[in-house]
Amino acid sequence: MKLFMVGASPYARKVRAVAVTLGIADRIELVIANPHERPPELVRHNPLSKVPTLVADDGTAIIDSLSICEYLAELVEGQSVIPFTPGEERRQILFRHDLAHGIMDCAVIRRVESLKAQEPDRADWMARQVATIGRVLDWFETSDRLDGPMTLDRLTLAAALGFLDFRFPDDGWREGRPRLADWYAEAAKLPALAETEPFA
Ligand SMILES: N[C@@H](CCC(=O)N[C@@H](CS)C(=O)NCC(=O)O)C(=O)O
């Protein structure tokens, strides 16, 4: 399999963290492709020109990080990253995944906006992202499901927090959130996170 990615993408990191957790990272060849440059080898598989994009061994493309994570999980019998059986447990994991994934969305918007010239409308838009990220972090701080096995939701949360540290190291998201800070300090030591640190 080939994974088109960039080193800074939190979405790609989520996929890689899942692959490490599933024990199949060695089956994935990493291909660095800047989606903003619309590289033909990426666009051929994914006309959206977004990373991550996975190309399976039979040439099938799987796009969007959640679909890729589910595909990878399908390859491993008895996996426990994401339950496939419809029901409460799957809904809860996907709910927390979607919240953590939302942190990524807001942080990526903020990063892109921060590279542009400052204008009042833009400052408002960025402040909204910061506020949304803060609300979701507060939600996780008080969640009674913070601790537990590294299922998709927790892997996504850890990748999102890693992206905040990578792009906004002065934000101080740990302040007032001691549970989340302690949880992340432990999560970051796991191979899934330690082996997939972001790079520019
Ligand atoms: N919802 C997608 C988001 C992927 C995404 O937006 N990736 C960024 C890189 S971090 C990208 O490819 N941007 C290029 C573009 O939007 O043109 C996922 O979860 O995989």
Side-chain angles (χ1 to χ4, degrees), residues 6 9-11 14 35-36 38 48-52 64-66 101 105 108:
V6 288
S9 169
Y11 311 109
K14 171 173 77 175
H36 301 288
R38 314 289 183 236
L48 293 172
S49 190
K50 283 185 187 282
V51 293
D64 208 282
S65 55
L66 178 57
H101 184 95
D105 287 341
V108 167

Side-chain angles (χ1 to χ4, degrees), residues 54-158:
L54 185 83
V55 181
D57 289 337
D58 66 0
T60 307
I62 298 109
I63 63 172
D64 208 282
S65 55
L66 178 57
S67 300
I68 297 172
C69 291
E70 298 225 77
Y71 174 75
L72 294 177
E74 279 174 26
L75 301 178
V76 179
E77 207 175 323
Q79 62 81 30
S80 51
V81 165
I82 173 81
F84 289 121
T85 311
E88 183 63 14
E89 183 62 9
R90 179 174 162 83
R91 266 197 306 279
Q92 287 298 327
I93 286 181
L94 287 178
F95 174 69
R96 289 190 300 273
H97 159 273
D98 292 344
L99 282 178
H101 184 95
I103 296 176
M104 294 181 179
D105 287 341
C106 292
V108 167
I109 290 173
R110 198 178 149 202
R111 164 70 180 167
V112 171
E113 291 296 306
S114 71
L115 301 175
K116 299 177 186 166
Q118 292 303 301
E119 288 165 19
D121 281 358
R122 200 159 274 155
D124 276 3
W125 180 230
M126 278 173 70
R128 281 182 60 168
Q129 310 312 317
V130 173
T132 303
I133 291 170
R135 279 197 307 276
V136 180
L137 294 178
D138 287 343
W139 187 93
F140 278 110
E141 173 69 15
T142 57
S143 165
D144 58 4
R145 298 285 298 270
L146 189 56
D147 296 307
M150 286 308 261
T151 41
L152 179 68
D153 48 345
R154 297 188 182 95
L155 290 166
T156 305
L157 177 62

